[in-house]
Structures are given as structure tokens and as C-alpha cells.
Amino acid sequence: MKNSEHKLQRLKERITLLLNKAENTSYPHEAQAFQEHAERLMVRYGIGRAELDAQSAHQGKKQEAIVEEHFEMHGVYRLGQRDGLSNVGRAFRTVTILQTNFSNSCRLYIIGHESDVATVKTLFSSLVIQATLAMTHWWDAEGKVQSALWSDSEKQIERREFQRSFYVQVAMRIQGLYEEESSQAGTGTDLVLVDRKHQVDEFVSDKYPYLRASRNRASRGSMGA
């Protein structure tokens, strides 16, 4: 067996440590190094947990429950956070991300197996802190000079877009890590991840049947659309 509960628990502890370091350093390049290391371990943890759960199912043992949790966003940068974090969540191959928008807040719903949901939610919380710190550092070093003649609204939009870009870069790295880890592990890993996502899709379809109809309508659109 490639993975065990003990091995996965150690990975989880290292992820937490790395995220804490990324949040608490005042050096952006150092924070990025910690963050990228944590992302790689998160992907490995997710793959390992999926493989272990699949093995449990094969042996007739109980599998992880599928759960739904939400993540709230408030403030003037919530739209950038919503779009960016949605991309990050969707980069994980075994969860589904839904969203609801209110007048003064946004909410992302994270649906998946318990360990996957916990990982994504922990990452979201850490990224909000890191994106804010990175934006502040960038603004003090470059943004103020570049935006000297801008209105307050334009400055706010620029800071929001910086945060959105920060999240999108994280999402792209995670997607690349899944491809890298899967290619090294072989096709069996892809099959396990696809099956795990299929279980989540079935859960979502049962709980939100109107989304199934929406997806079916969208799938009949043109390739260009």
C-alpha cells in the first residue's frame, strides 16, 4: 500500500506548518516558496486520500462521507476573491464549487469528501491572508507610483485585480501539479480521481437536481461558446 493513515497525517501536519509560514513571513518570495511547497503536498495528500478511500471501498469498508461547507467573503475585494478562489477550488479534481452572491457578500460552497473539503477550505482561508499581504507589499513598492493620477475607484479596481491574479496563478500551479503527479503515478491515479469526482457529481445532482438540467443545456452549446 503506497499510502497509510500515518503517512497522510504527517503530510497534513506539514501542509499546516507551511501555510502558517507563508502567512507569517514578511518576504514575498519566501511566502511564495512556502505556498508552492504546501500546494504540492496538498495535491499529494488529496491523491493519497483518494487512493486509500478507494482501497477501503474495494475491501468493503466504509468510505469518507461527502459533505458541503461554505466560505464567506465580505468587503470591497470580495468579487476578486470570489472569482479567484472559485478557480482555485476547481483546480482540485475531486470537489465541486458553487456560489451565491448577496448584496454585501459572496459565498462559495465546497462540495466533496470530508478531507478534500477541509483541504480546500483551509487553503482558501490561508490564501485570503496571503493575497492581502502580497497586495499590500506590491502597492507600497509599485502600485502607489503607478496609480498616482488614478481615482480612488480605479485604485480599488487595480488592487482587486491584483488579488484575482494572485488566486488564478495558484489555480494554474495546482492544475499543473495534478498533471505532474498523475503522470508519475500512472493511469490508475487518474481513474481513482475520476471515480471520486463522479461520486461528488452524483451527490450534487441528487441534492441540486436543477443544476443537472442547467449543465445539460450548456453542453448542447457550440464549441465556440
Side-chain angles (χ1 to χ4, degrees), residues 14-103:
R14 289 176 65 192
I15 290 166
T16 301
L17 178 63
L18 288 165
L19 290 178
N20 286 337
K21 288 183 176 180
E23 294 168 19
N24 289 290
T25 180
S26 57
Y27 301 100
H29 294 297
E30 193 174 72
Q32 182 175 342
F34 288 137
Q35 174 61 33
E36 290 182 9
H37 192 183
E39 290 164 11
R40 181 175 293 278
L41 295 186
M42 281 182 166
V43 170
R44 288 180 181 173
Y45 175 81
I47 291 173
R49 176 58 65 185
E51 290 174 341
L52 196 61
D53 205 34
Q55 186 178 56
S56 295
H58 183 71
Q59 296 172 348
K61 299 178 182 179
K62 185 178 179 181
Q63 290 184 273
E64 266 193 294
I66 297 176
V67 299
E68 175 187 305
E69 294 194 24
H70 63 265
F71 188 83
E72 301 277 353
M73 292 149 289
H74 304 271
V76 296
Y77 302 120
R78 65 184 181 277
L79 297 179
Q81 291 174 352
R82 178 201 65 191
D83 296 344
L85 291 175
S86 291
N87 279 313
V88 173
R90 294 189 181 101
F92 285 86
R93 293 187 177 180
T94 54
V95 300
T96 290
I97 302 292
L98 305 177
Q99 69 179 45
T100 301
N101 302 304
F102 304 100
S103 58

Side-chain angles (χ1 to χ4, degrees), residues 12 29 65 67 81 157 160 194:
K12 190 174 180 180
H29 294 297
V67 299
Q81 291 174 352
I157 291 172
R160 184 187 69 197
V194 168

Side-chain angles (χ1 to χ4, degrees), residues 116-156:
D116 297 330
V117 170
T119 296
V120 173
K121 193 170 182 180
T122 297
L123 179 58
F124 281 4
S125 297
S126 181
L127 287 178
V128 168
I129 295 172
Q130 292 186 57
T132 301
L133 292 173
M135 180 195 68
T136 301
H137 184 274
W138 164 76
W139 190 256
D140 289 341
E142 301 177 34
K144 286 181 180 179
V145 176
Q146 296 175 2
S147 62
L149 301 178
W150 294 354
S151 67
D152 289 342
S153 177
E154 289 172 327
K155 292 176 182 178
Q156 180 179 307

Side-chain angles (χ1 to χ4, degrees), residues 205-225:
S205 293
D206 289 341
K207 188 169 184 178
Y208 302 107
Y210 61 89
L211 290 178
R212 178 186 299 174
S214 175
R215 284 199 299 269
N216 288 340
R217 285 196 297 272
S219 67
R220 291 196 293 268
S222 70
M223 289 297 290

